[in-house]
Amino acid sequence: MSSIRNTVQRRVHKERSQPQERQRLGLLEKHKDYSLRAKDFNKKKAQLRALRQKAADRNEDEFYFGMMSRKGPGSSLAQGRRWTGTVDGDRGNRALDVDAVRLLKTQDVGYIRTVRNVALKEVKALEERVLEQGGSLDAAAGQVDDEDDDEFEGFDMPQQRAAKPKKIVFAEAVEEREEKLRQEADDEVDDGEDTDMEDEDDAKKDPEATRAATRQKHLEKLQRRLQNARKKLTILTRAEHQLEVQRTNMSKTPTSGNGVTKSGKKFKVRERKR
C-alpha cells in the first residue's frame, strides 16, 4: 500500500515569499531564520555577561615585574618600519591548551585529596587520643574555623623561644668583667639547683598531684595538635573545592554539580533516578 502511495505525485508546498510591496525589505524571514538569529544573540549576550563578571572579579592589586618591561604592540604610524605587530617583551611562549590545563588541575585535585585524607586520619586519631585522656573535643573546636585567621596558620610552624634579656656589666678592666660574669653564672646555677630540689621535694610529698599535672600538660598539647590539624583539614577541603569548581568551569560539557561554563551558560546536572 505504501508503494502505491509513493507513486502518486503530490503537490509541492512552496514557502511564502515577500509581498511585492515589501520587496525593499529583502527576503521574508522564516521561523528558522529567527531561531538562528535569536541563538546567536543570546550566545553573544551570555559571553558579554561572563566577561563582565570576569572583569568584576579581577584582582586590582595584581602585579608582575614583567608589566614594567612589557609594552603593547603599538602601531605602524608611531613606529614606522620598526613596527612588527608583536608585544614587546613577549618570548613567544605558547599558552597551554584548555584540555591540558584541565588535566593538570585533575592531578592537583588528586594530590590535594590524598593530603586531605591523611589529614583527616590524623584528626580522627588525635580525637581518639584526646577522648582517651579524658579531655573534651569542644575545647579544641572552639577556636577552629575562624574566617579572619590566616590560612597558613593551619600548618605547624617552628616555635621560637623567647630570648632572655641581656645584662650589661660595668667594669674597669677585662679581668674584673670576667670575674663578675663568672660569679653571676654560678649564682644562676645555684638558683636552678635550689628550684629543682624544691620540685623534687614537692613530688615526693604529693605524687598524685604531679601525675595529674603531667597528664593535664599532655592533654593540652594534644588539644593544640588537634586544633592545628583541624585548621589544616579545613584549608585543604576549601582548596579542593575551588579546584573542582575551576575544572567544572573549564569543561566543554556539564560534568558534575551546578555551575557556569566558560561561555557564561549556566547548567544543572540532574541525578539519575534510582
Side-chain angles (χ1 to χ4, degrees):
M1 188 67 181
S2 61
S3 60
I4 297 176
R5 189 188 316 118
N6 293 333
T7 57
V8 178
Q9 186 177 5
R10 297 188 182 90
R11 179 182 177 184
V12 179
H13 296 277
K14 297 182 180 180
E15 292 184 355
R16 179 189 173 194
S17 60
Q18 186 76 277
Q20 186 69 26
E21 62 273 9
R22 294 175 59 89
Q23 289 290 337
R24 56 185 176 80
L25 300 177
L27 297 176
L28 180 63
E29 186 182 44
K30 307 299 189 298
H31 179 72
K32 57 181 180 180
D33 302 327
Y34 166 76
S35 300
L36 293 176
R37 187 164 56 85
K39 287 182 181 179
D40 181 67
F41 174 76
N42 291 329
K43 180 180 178 181
K44 292 178 180 178
K45 185 170 65 174
Q47 289 180 351
L48 289 175
R49 188 187 305 113
L51 290 175
R52 291 193 191 96
Q53 184 66 28
K54 188 175 182 181
D57 295 341
R58 74 185 189 280
N59 183 10
E60 298 180 356
D61 298 332
E62 185 177 6
F63 172 75
Y64 301 101
F65 283 100
M67 297 178 180
M68 302 180 65
S69 59
R70 172 174 289 196
K71 298 180 181 179
S75 64
S76 59
L77 298 177
Q79 298 181 359
R81 295 182 179 180
R82 295 177 301 171
W83 183 68
T84 58
T86 59
V87 178
D88 294 342
D90 188 5
R91 299 180 179 179
N93 298 330
R94 296 182 60 184
L96 291 176
D97 190 11
V98 177
D99 297 334
V101 176
R102 192 164 184 266
L103 178 60
L104 294 176
K105 288 185 180 295
T106 304
Q107 297 177 356
D108 295 341
V109 169
Y111 172 74
I112 291 180
R113 186 178 294 116
T114 303
V115 178
R116 188 179 66 84
N117 292 335
V118 174
L120 181 60
K121 292 180 180 179
E122 182 182 1
V123 168
K124 292 182 178 180
L126 288 174
E127 288 178 352
E128 292 178 358
R129 293 179 62 181
V130 169
L131 292 177
E132 289 176 359
Q133 294 290 334
S136 175
L137 299 179
D138 298 335
Q143 301 176 356
V144 183
D145 296 339
D146 190 1
E147 294 293 340
D148 297 334
D149 290 345
D150 190 10
E151 293 186 353
F152 295 99
E153 291 181 2
F155 301 95
D156 297 333
M157 300 296 291
Q159 298 180 357
Q160 298 180 356
R161 296 181 178 179
K164 296 182 178 179
K166 298 181 180 180
K167 288 186 178 181
I168 301 176
V169 179
F170 297 96
E172 296 181 356
V174 179
E175 293 80 2
E176 184 179 356
R177 181 176 62 83
E178 293 179 354
E179 182 65 27
K180 288 185 178 182
L181 291 175
R182 193 181 302 109
Q183 184 177 359
E184 290 179 359
D186 295 340
D187 294 341
E188 290 180 359
V189 172
D190 295 340
D191 294 340
E193 292 178 355
D194 295 340
T195 305
D196 295 339
M197 292 296 292
E198 292 177 359
D199 294 340
E200 291 178 0
D201 294 340
D202 295 339
K204 291 179 180 179
K205 291 180 182 179
D206 194 357
E208 291 294 335
T210 304
R211 284 195 292 269
T214 305
R215 193 181 304 111
Q216 183 65 24
K217 289 182 180 179
H218 184 61
L219 179 60
E220 292 176 357
K221 184 178 180 180
L222 286 178
Q223 288 179 346
R224 286 195 299 268
R225 289 181 58 187
L226 177 60
Q227 177 183 350
N228 293 333
R230 284 178 173 176
K231 285 185 178 181
K232 182 177 180 180
L233 180 62
T234 304
I235 295 170
L236 291 174
T237 305
R238 192 181 305 147
E240 181 183 0
H241 175 70
Q242 291 294 334
L243 281 177
E244 286 290 351
V245 171
Q246 292 178 8
R247 287 183 62 252
T248 305
N249 293 338
M250 294 176 63
S251 61
K252 295 181 179 179
T253 57
T255 54
S256 61
N258 305 330
V260 182
T261 60
K262 59 182 180 180
S263 60
K265 183 179 180 181
K266 295 183 180 180
F267 63 86
K268 181 178 182 180
V269 180
R270 295 182 176 87
E271 295 183 357
R272 181 175 60 87
K273 294 183 179 181
R274 300 179 183 269

